[in-house]
Amino acid sequence: MELQILWAALVTYVLAGSLAIFGFVMKRKPERTVLLLLVLGVLLHTTSIAMRWERMGHGPYITMFEALSSGIWNLMLIYTLIYWRIPAIRATAAVVMPILFVMMGWMMLFPPGEIGHKPQVYHTVWLYIHIGFAKAFISTVFIAVGISGIILLRKIRYGAERFAHLPNDTRLDDLSFRFMAVAMIFQTLMLITGAIWAQDAWGRYWDWDPLETWAFITWIFVIFSLHLRHTYKTSPQIGALLVIGVFITAFLVFFGIPFVSTNFHQGVGGA
Amino acid sequence: MSDFPPSSITSPSLAVRCLRALASLKLTLILIILLLAGVLIIYYTKTRFIWALALPFIGFAINLTATVLTNPVFRRQLALLVFHLALIGIALLIAVERLTYLKGQVEVVEGETFTGQMLREESGPWHPRRLDKLQLTNENFTVNYTNSDGILRRVDTRNQVAWVSPNGVAGRSIIGDQEPLLLGGYRFYTTINKGFAPVFSWRPADGSAERVGAVHLPSYPRMHLQQQNEWQPPGSATSVWVMLQIDEEILSPDAPSQLRVPDKHKVIVRLDKARWELKPGDSIRLPDGVLVYQELRKWMGYDVTYNFTLPWLLAASILAVLSMAWHFWQKFMARPWNPTGNPNEK
């Protein structure tokens, strides 16, 4: 049942994204319908995750399927909230939804898995706080990616015509900088809470495991990009490229490291 | 109002010019790149090349201090000042931590008392060594297992320890997993590294006092097929090869189970071509004494750390991130988050 509800949520997301792309191509603004579909999709997805959580006895962070499902869920949740509260960014749906489509397709490549065991180090409230900040970070960067996509698409006539009604590039650049600054706060809190968890779990707050190291490298990249934009007053296009660079790095760290590492964090498993 | 006398404004002294150069935002960017390079060096060379990180951190401390001293914006924006001071604090605390830390491992057999002898350790040059002033006795421990997807999975570790702190206070605690023992500034964590330990007594042929020792066999169940080790009885010049043969199932492949000492087991001892199978109470004569197999116990591996800067580092980090959030809040709330499409809007 939970899987059927999940598929319904994914179909709803696809409808919302397709409608947003249709609006971009046809120079229409079906924003209210897109918002409605996004809200419906998030509600269905939340129900599916809650049902699985209840059945398995652990949150969506053990299998790759669960990690991707919860990744899509948090991106959609935060994006929907911002879509609702900041109408100026609604046009970004045509840019960001295709990224979600790729993630959904990727998730379908994995079996859901029925691993009921939760490692002992996961029995701590710090896990939820740490993951919560990580999700808030990637979601906030995701919104900045949408804004950056508009700035870059405007460099071609096709995009310039369709995004002409939006605020100018400088204003959008300022907005993307804000989201990146907020993302940096969330990411710093993610690193701090991760260090508290690691100290509790393994007796060291830092050990250069692959995920720790690459999360730290991503943080340095975020700091570097913000500092570069502030120091050299870079053009909106350079700022947009930096945001996309940060997102690609963060995405690879969040969803790529588990492919090359036995565990999300070194020492999570082990008999 | 300026903090400098009028003559200084028109012609700043060399010291002020140097400070301003050190406060450069471009230098900050270079230091961020150096930090990135340092992280990559540490990660890919798998070494503790501490200068790769220490240099950028020292650079940040100088750059931030110079910025706070020379940039008047900090006298107007309290949040930014607190953020930079917190960052300076973090850099200094990390330096102090590197000078005073201790990190090591120790293995203690059930019933045995740890009195400061580490198996492996590394420490900073200013570490105030107090390990020999405390005692930790591993009284017993349990490790529960379950099966999930056909894989043996560890559930929890509970270890009862008795301890005496450096100032003579004694007590008992249950530790394990996320719960370390805090003793004299040191933290003792149980680990997944644990196993069996055949305990022997050694009676030297020269009539000197009998001594007791234990062979720490490789970690169990991780290395369950390699339950053997070379061992030299305490005070003996002879080295023997010891193997544990377990004749029953300890951890069940399809039901919850607990790590325990097997009832059915043999301890096999080899010296050159001679081979003995021992049960508790059996003894063998070696060239320089008699070895008596007493019993089989378990050993637990502990990670031991010392880092008194931890709470201060946490406080400084939280202060830094909160002050940064406060700064951004003030800055961003001054203009709307939802810009209109008006081309005249700034």
Side-chain angles (χ1 to χ4, degrees):
Chain A
M1 182 68 176
E2 82 211 13
L3 280 179
Q4 286 161 335
I5 296 175
L6 177 65
W7 301 142
L10 298 187
V11 168
T12 315
Y13 291 150
V14 170
L15 283 175
S18 303
L19 196 59
I21 294 166
F22 173 78
F24 165 69
V25 173
M26 303 305 290
K27 294 187 183 177
R28 302 258 177 91
K29 290 169 73 176
E31 291 174 356
R32 289 179 67 85
T33 315
V34 171
L35 178 61
L36 201 69
L37 285 168
L38 289 176
V39 171
L40 182 63
V42 169
L43 287 175
L44 286 167
H45 201 163
T46 308
T47 309
S48 166
I49 287 177
M51 285 172 75
R52 185 173 171 84
W53 195 324
E54 173 65 23
R55 187 171 67 81
M56 301 296 290
H58 62 71
Y61 41 68
I62 302 288
T63 66
M64 195 63 198
F65 178 89
E66 290 171 346
L68 281 165
S69 173
S70 72
I72 293 165
W73 175 80
N74 81 266
L75 290 175
M76 287 312 312
L77 176 71
I78 305 285
Y79 184 75
T80 304
L81 279 172
I82 300 295
Y83 190 93
W84 169 48
R85 296 299 302 159
I86 308 180
I89 64 113
R90 286 183 180 171
T92 61
V95 178
V96 297
M97 289 309 285
I99 301 173
L100 264 303
F101 294 168
V102 172
M103 283 182 76
M104 290 175 208
W106 189 16
M107 181 184 74
M108 287 177 193
L109 297 177
F110 295 94
E114 294 295 317
I115 299 174
H117 172 72
K118 186 165 77 166
Q120 190 61 25
V121 292
Y122 284 2
H123 291 262
T124 167
V125 69
W126 289 109
L127 169 73
Y128 301 101
I129 300 172
H130 173 62
I131 291 180
F133 282 128
K135 288 185 181 304
F137 159 67
I138 194 87
S139 305
T140 318
V141 177
F142 186 64
I143 295 159
V145 165
I147 298 168
S148 301
I150 290 177
I151 292 171
L152 292 176
L153 281 170
R154 271 178 164 172
K155 291 301 284 181
I156 53 172
R157 206 177 72 185
Y158 188 80
E161 283 171 6
R162 277 154 183 80
F163 291 132
H165 63 287
L166 294 176
N168 62 38
D169 282 356
T170 311
R171 193 68 183 90
L172 287 181
D173 185 49
D174 172 64
L175 202 55
S176 117
F177 184 91
R178 289 178 182 211
F179 279 110
M180 289 305 287
V182 174
M184 188 269 282
I185 299 286
F186 285 137
Q187 196 190 14
T188 309
L189 287 167
M190 176 197 84
L191 290 177
I192 292 171
T193 52
I196 294 171
W197 177 30
Q199 181 68 42
D200 272 356
W202 303 297
R204 84 301 186 279
Y205 66 91
W206 198 263
D207 202 38
W208 303 108
D209 79 23
L211 198 48
E212 277 175 359
T213 308
W214 280 99
F216 189 49
I217 288 170
T218 310
W219 182 80
I220 295 173
F221 193 10
V222 172
I223 297 288
F224 175 79
S225 69
L226 288 173
H227 228 284
L228 189 73
R229 289 170 77 174
H230 175 72
T231 307
Y232 286 98
K233 311 291 179 216
T234 54
S235 69
Q237 286 73 32
I238 297 288
L241 289 172
L242 284 168
V243 169
I244 290 167
V246 165
F247 181 73
I248 290 170
T249 313
F251 191 87
L252 290 176
V253 171
F254 276 45
F255 299 105
I257 295 292
F259 271 109
V260 291
S261 178
T262 329
N263 295 301
F264 288 159
H265 276 294
Q266 201 165 289
V268 165
Chain B
M1 198 174 88
S2 167
D3 287 353
F4 300 103
S7 59
S8 297
I9 295 170
T10 51
S11 174
S13 68
L14 181 65
V16 171
R17 276 183 284 154
C18 283
L19 263 183
R20 284 181 184 164
L22 287 171
S24 156
L25 283 174
K26 289 170 188 168
L27 176 63
T28 314
L29 270 178
I30 293 168
L31 289 169
I32 292 172
I33 294 168
L34 282 178
L35 179 64
L36 178 63
V39 169
L40 290 171
I41 288 170
I42 294 268
Y43 182 60
Y44 282 109
T45 60
K46 303 287 176 202
T47 59
R48 301 290 177 193
F49 183 55
I50 203 69
W51 287 106
L53 287 182
L55 282 177
F57 273 113
I58 292 168
F60 276 124
I62 295 168
N63 176 244
L64 290 165
T65 310
T67 308
V68 170
L69 288 174
T70 59
N71 197 335
V73 77
F74 292 104
R75 285 182 277 282
R76 294 194 302 271
Q77 298 186 13
L78 181 62
L80 210 53
L81 176 66
V82 173
F83 171 66
H84 281 74
L85 290 177
L87 287 185
I88 294 169
I90 290 170
L92 291 174
L93 283 167
I94 289 173
V96 172
E97 189 251 331
R98 286 291 88 192
L99 290 168
T100 57
Y101 83 103
L102 176 135
K103 192 167 98 172
Q105 285 92 40
V106 64
E107 293 172 4
V108 186
V109 176
E110 284 175 331
E112 191 184 37
T113 299
F114 165 73
T115 53
Q117 284 296 104
M118 302 280 279
L119 199 63
R120 281 175 293 276
E121 71 167 80
E122 57 179 66
S123 60
W126 294 352
H127 173 65
R129 194 175 180 83
R130 290 200 298 260
L131 271 172
D132 53 347
K133 294 185 178 63
L134 55 85
Q135 287 182 22
L136 166 77
T137 304
N138 172 9
E139 294 194 321
N140 59 66
F141 69 88
T142 58
V143 185
N144 288 305
Y145 286 86
T146 188
N147 259 254
S148 179
D149 273 9
I151 299 169
L152 188 67
R153 297 180 192 273
R154 185 168 44 87
V155 180
D156 63 340
T157 303
R158 284 284 165 268
N159 183 195
Q160 183 172 313
V161 293
W163 47 265
V164 181
S165 72
N167 48 11
V169 179
R172 271 200 169 78
S173 302
I174 305 276
I175 62 170
D177 300 315
Q178 289 99 316
E179 293 160 43
L181 174 69
L182 294 160
L183 196 57
Y186 294 92
R187 287 167 180 259
F188 291 81
Y189 287 87
T190 58
T191 64
I192 59 167
N193 203 25
K194 76 278 172 195
F196 296 114
V199 179
F200 293 90
S201 58
W202 172 245
R203 298 172 190 156
D206 61 9
S208 53
E210 181 178 299
R211 295 173 70 177
V212 176
V215 189
H216 294 208
L217 295 172
S219 186
Y220 192 93
R222 192 164 53 91
M223 301 173 79
H224 67 282
L225 296 175
Q226 294 145 292
Q227 292 298 297
Q228 53 198 323
N229 222 338
E230 283 279 327
W231 182 63
Q232 203 167 353
S236 166
T238 309
S239 188
V240 293
W241 179 86
V242 180
M243 188 181 94
L244 172 67
Q245 183 182 309
I246 299 170
D247 297 322
E248 64 182 287
E249 183 182 273
I250 298 177
L251 300 173
S252 169
D254 45 26
S257 50
Q258 192 174 77
L259 181 68
R260 58 179 173 79
V261 169
D263 296 325
K264 295 177 189 167
H265 72 272
K266 287 190 207 81
V267 167
I268 296 158
V269 178
R270 273 189 181 162
L271 177 64
D272 300 326
K273 288 180 180 169
R275 181 182 185 278
W276 300 271
E277 286 188 6
L278 304 179
K279 289 182 178 154
D282 290 348
S283 62
I284 53 173
R285 185 167 293 280
L286 297 180
D288 52 351
V290 175
L291 188 68
V292 184
Y293 172 50
Q294 290 188 339
E295 62 178 322
L296 186 63
R297 295 188 203 167
K298 305 195 295 290
W299 61 265
M300 170 57 74
Y302 298 90
D303 278 338
V304 186
T305 60
Y306 176 90
N307 181 0
F308 82 94
T309 65
L310 268 181
W312 299 103
L313 200 55
L314 178 62
S317 304
I318 290 173
L319 190 61
V321 74
L322 289 181
S323 54
M324 196 66 212
W326 178 21
H327 170 70
F328 280 140
W329 176 268
Q330 289 174 323
K331 191 175 171 181
F332 296 155
M333 292 314 280
R335 294 177 69 192
W337 274 83
N338 186 30
T340 63
N342 181 358
N344 297 321
E345 188 190 18
K346 299 267 168 116

